[in-house]
């Protein structure tokens, strides 16, 4: 069961990353004006969208491969840290997915409702 949960979480991380990259490709002409991450904006300004997508893909691969390495090479008593990290990355990716599929007007209305 642990193995299924592990690979299900990795699948979520990979799928959300793919959706994010697809969205970047769809909005490549206007991504610079919409990008809210200052590091991503800097990469796009200085190296272009293609390099940005390459970096996103490479970092996702690095995270997934690192998590797999820890899953198979860490002693059982130390795996709790790996599960905490994996779950944190999965939750972050699910938050990113919600951010990507929610229209900007909804976020604007939420900010008004919260008084921000």
């Amino acid at each position: 069961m642990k193995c299924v949960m592990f690979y299900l979480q990795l699948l979520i991380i990979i799928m959300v990353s793919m959706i994010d990259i697809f969205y970047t490709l769809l909005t490549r002409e206007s991504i610079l004006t919409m990008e809210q991450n200052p590091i991503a904006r800097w990469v796009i300004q200085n190296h272009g969208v293609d390099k940005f997508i390459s970096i996103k893909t490479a970092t996702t691969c690095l995270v997934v491969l690192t998590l797999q390495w820890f899953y198979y090479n860490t002693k059982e008593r130390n795996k709790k840290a790996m599960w905490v990290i994996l779950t944190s990355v999965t939750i972050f990716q699910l938050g990113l997915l919600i951010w990507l599929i929610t229209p900007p007007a909804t976020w604007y209305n939420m900010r008004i409702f919260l008084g921000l």
Side-chain angles (χ1 to χ4, degrees):
M1 185 61 172
K2 283 184 178 182
C3 188
V4 171
M5 287 302 298
F6 176 76
Y7 281 104
L8 181 62
Q9 286 183 279
L10 286 186
L11 181 63
I12 290 169
I13 292 167
I14 293 166
M15 294 298 289
V16 173
S17 182
M18 287 174 41
I19 291 167
D20 187 27
I21 289 169
F22 181 71
Y23 181 75
T24 301
L25 286 170
L26 284 177
T27 60
R28 77 179 303 132
E29 299 300 321
S30 60
I31 191 70
L32 191 56
T33 59
M34 298 182 327
E35 183 60 56
Q36 298 194 7
N37 180 340
I39 296 170
R41 193 174 316 144
W42 181 86
V43 170
I44 294 168
Q45 283 176 332
N46 293 296
H47 302 285
V49 175
D50 292 335
K51 182 74 78 173
F52 176 61
I53 291 171
S54 297
I55 292 169
K56 286 174 94 161
T57 304
T59 54
T60 299
C61 290
L62 180 65
V63 166
V64 168
L65 290 172
T66 302
L67 286 166
Q68 282 186 311
W69 186 88
F70 277 114
Y71 183 77
Y72 288 108
N73 295 300
T74 304
K75 293 179 183 168
E76 202 59 41
R77 60 185 164 85
N78 297 329
K79 282 198 178 175
K80 184 176 182 179
M82 185 275 311
W83 282 106
V84 169
I85 293 167
L86 175 61
T87 302
S88 299
V89 172
T90 304
I91 290 169
F92 177 84
Q93 288 293 91
L94 289 172
L96 174 62
L97 180 62
I98 291 167
W99 175 263
L100 290 172
I101 64 175
T102 305
T106 303
W107 293 107
Y108 178 74
N109 293 335
M110 193 179 302
R111 284 180 49 209
I112 290 172
F113 177 75
L114 295 173
L116 301 175

